[in-house]
Amino acid sequence: EKTLDQCFNQGIYEIYTPNQFYHLSTQPNGGKGRNYLLMKDLYGMGGYKPVDAFYGNFNGNGHYLSGFWFENSDSEFVGFVGQNFGTIKNLKLGVAITVSSSSNVYAGAFCGENRGTIENCSAFGVRNSPSFSFYATAESFAGGITGVNYGTVKNCGKGLDMSGTSNMGGIVGLNYGNIDGCTNNQEKKEITKQFDFHSLRKTHASM
């Protein structure tokens, strides 16, 4: 099987397999200046180590990534990436998120903190797992897409159940940026194909 670097095609890193996707966490400088394109639906993504800070451009191409289980331990940001400074678009994410912390935490399906752009993305639950459970300090925030937003969240939807005692929002927990055309009560779906739950402690890999 080709590595992610071997899938470079006309300026774009094409992702066909889970292993190629896992290499996202090894890209230099948070993927800055790099373009990633998901070529097919991928399920059972338990081996993924979330990235601390993402600076690249990830185009989901309308596909699903499913089987993530994000569970915090001692990090401030919980999600597909910890902090997003780049662009994530056209991606459907199947996740289960569990946060129980005595520290301040920002959590969302796509990122804990968004300082870039998240566009045309959707978050769904995964079969036989809690969708989004959030119990943290009074200064913590969670959202279906991102915990705190300083950038742009556009045309996104949330179709997962959320529960907890801390500050929670359907799309964004705490907003200082732009939200446009988003749907909080998107039709709920449970991704069932080839699900694989691995507890991913929040020891995000640096890119």
Side-chain angles (χ1 to χ4, degrees), residues 101-112:
S101 177
S102 58
S103 301
N104 293 344
V105 179
Y106 300 92
F110 285 85
C111 57

Side-chain angles (χ1 to χ4, degrees), residues 18-66:
N19 284 334
Q20 290 165 358
F21 174 76
Y22 297 156
H23 288 153
L24 193 68
S25 64
T26 67
Q27 297 293 286
N29 302 315
K32 188 173 183 178
R34 297 192 174 198
N35 301 302
Y36 306 92
L37 182 65
L38 186 62
M39 303 302 292
K40 59 186 293 188
D41 296 342
L42 297 179
Y43 303 91
M45 304 301 298
Y48 172 60
K49 295 180 179 179
V51 177
D52 276 333
F54 180 68
Y55 290 86
N57 300 295
F58 190 96
N59 186 349
N61 203 19
H63 292 297
Y64 285 95
L65 283 174
S66 183

Side-chain angles (χ1 to χ4, degrees), residues 39-101:
M39 303 302 292
K40 59 186 293 188
D41 296 342
L42 297 179
Y43 303 91
M45 304 301 298
Y48 172 60
K49 295 180 179 179
V51 177
D52 276 333
F54 180 68
Y55 290 86
N57 300 295
F58 190 96
N59 186 349
N61 203 19
H63 292 297
Y64 285 95
L65 283 174
S66 183
F68 299 103
W69 191 345
F70 302 130
E71 184 179 17
N72 82 298
S73 58
D74 57 0
S75 293
E76 185 177 5
F77 304 107
V78 178
F80 174 66
V81 298
Q83 294 171 283
N84 177 49
F85 296 90
T87 297
I88 302 171
K89 64 182 182 180
N90 306 324
L91 179 62
K92 301 170 185 176
L93 207 60
V95 300
I97 301 174
T98 302
V99 172
S100 179
S101 177

